[in-house]
Amino acid sequence: MKKLVYSLICLVCCSVAVATLTACGEEQKAPFNYRGLAFTLPTSQFTDSMIARGFAIDSIASDSGRTVVFANPAEHYRVLVAFSEEKLQAVQETYLLSSNDSTRNMWQQLRDRLEKELGAWPDCPILKDDHKIANFDASDGIISVILENTYTPTLTVRYTPKQEETK
């Protein structure tokens, strides 16, 4: 009887150990985020976090009902945040650069950095000299690096979460 109880206890302990190792071995999927700020944050908390990072709200460019534009004199980009009620819809960085060459170089640098960070090749539907798009599939969202050199050099990076599927 002692041997049976001892065997049963060993079996339970081994099962728990295997389950623990399996759970620890699975890679936890990080939530889609913008520079470390999760898209699951309420808009007010996201705004407070951006202000804590040194950004200020550009009230002239913002629409208090659906968008907020942030600017920071220390950064060479502005951030537009689109939201619906307290849920983030998209975040877009717009880089302030002076020439087409600088936007082309910056587009390539951003594309290369995201490729390395995400470990994925982008989908590039357009790859012309002055108009390029690189779309990265990043867990729960899409990151798009967009170059549009027409009359003024324009470089944007857009973070858009994937819509939840309804079942």
Side-chain angles (χ1 to χ4, degrees), residues 34-37 41 43-57 68 70-75 77 79:
Y34 168 72
R35 295 184 181 247
L37 299 174
L41 290 175
T43 304
S44 56
Q45 190 175 354
F46 187 91
T47 301
D48 292 343
S49 297
M50 289 296 288
I51 291 170
R53 291 178 176 196
F55 285 85
I57 295 175
V68 176
F70 295 97
N72 182 344
E75 299 292 344
Y77 60 89
V79 179

Side-chain angles (χ1 to χ4, degrees), residues 8-66:
L8 186 59
I9 290 171
C10 286
L11 181 64
V12 169
C13 288
C14 287
S15 298
V16 169
V18 168
T20 303
L21 286 173
T22 304
C24 291
E26 292 177 8
E27 189 175 316
Q28 297 294 323
K29 189 167 93 170
F32 186 58
N33 69 76
Y34 168 72
R35 295 184 181 247
L37 299 174
F39 266 75
T40 55
L41 290 175
T43 304
S44 56
Q45 190 175 354
F46 187 91
T47 301
D48 292 343
S49 297
M50 289 296 288
I51 291 170
R53 291 178 176 196
F55 285 85
I57 295 175
D58 181 350
S59 58
I60 294 172
S62 298
D63 170 7
S64 62
R66 292 192 262 161

Side-chain angles (χ1 to χ4, degrees), residues 22-143:
T22 304
C24 291
E26 292 177 8
E27 189 175 316
Q28 297 294 323
K29 189 167 93 170
F32 186 58
N33 69 76
Y34 168 72
R35 295 184 181 247
L37 299 174
F39 266 75
T40 55
L41 290 175
T43 304
S44 56
Q45 190 175 354
F46 187 91
T47 301
D48 292 343
S49 297
M50 289 296 288
I51 291 170
R53 291 178 176 196
F55 285 85
I57 295 175
D58 181 350
S59 58
I60 294 172
S62 298
D63 170 7
S64 62
R66 292 192 262 161
T67 60
V68 176
V69 176
F70 295 97
N72 182 344
E75 299 292 344
H76 55 278
Y77 60 89
R78 295 167 60 86
V79 179
L80 174 112
V81 179
F83 60 92
S84 175
E85 294 176 16
E86 277 292 305
K87 186 173 180 185
L88 293 174
Q89 300 296 314
V91 175
Q92 179 175 297
E93 297 175 342
T94 303
Y95 285 80
L96 309 172
L97 301 166
S98 59
S99 70
N100 287 350
D101 287 338
S102 59
T103 55
R104 285 186 203 107
N105 291 335
M106 182 66 121
W107 183 89
Q108 190 64 50
Q109 290 171 1
L110 289 169
R111 179 194 178 278
D112 292 346
R113 181 181 57 94
L114 285 168
E115 187 177 305
K116 187 180 242 183
E117 282 178 19
L118 300 171
W121 289 87
D123 173 34
C124 297
I126 299 174
L127 273 176
K128 298 178 182 175
D129 284 343
D130 287 326
H131 190 191
K132 300 178 185 192
I133 298 175
N135 295 320
F136 291 89
D137 190 349
S139 66
D140 298 336
I142 302 293
I143 302 173

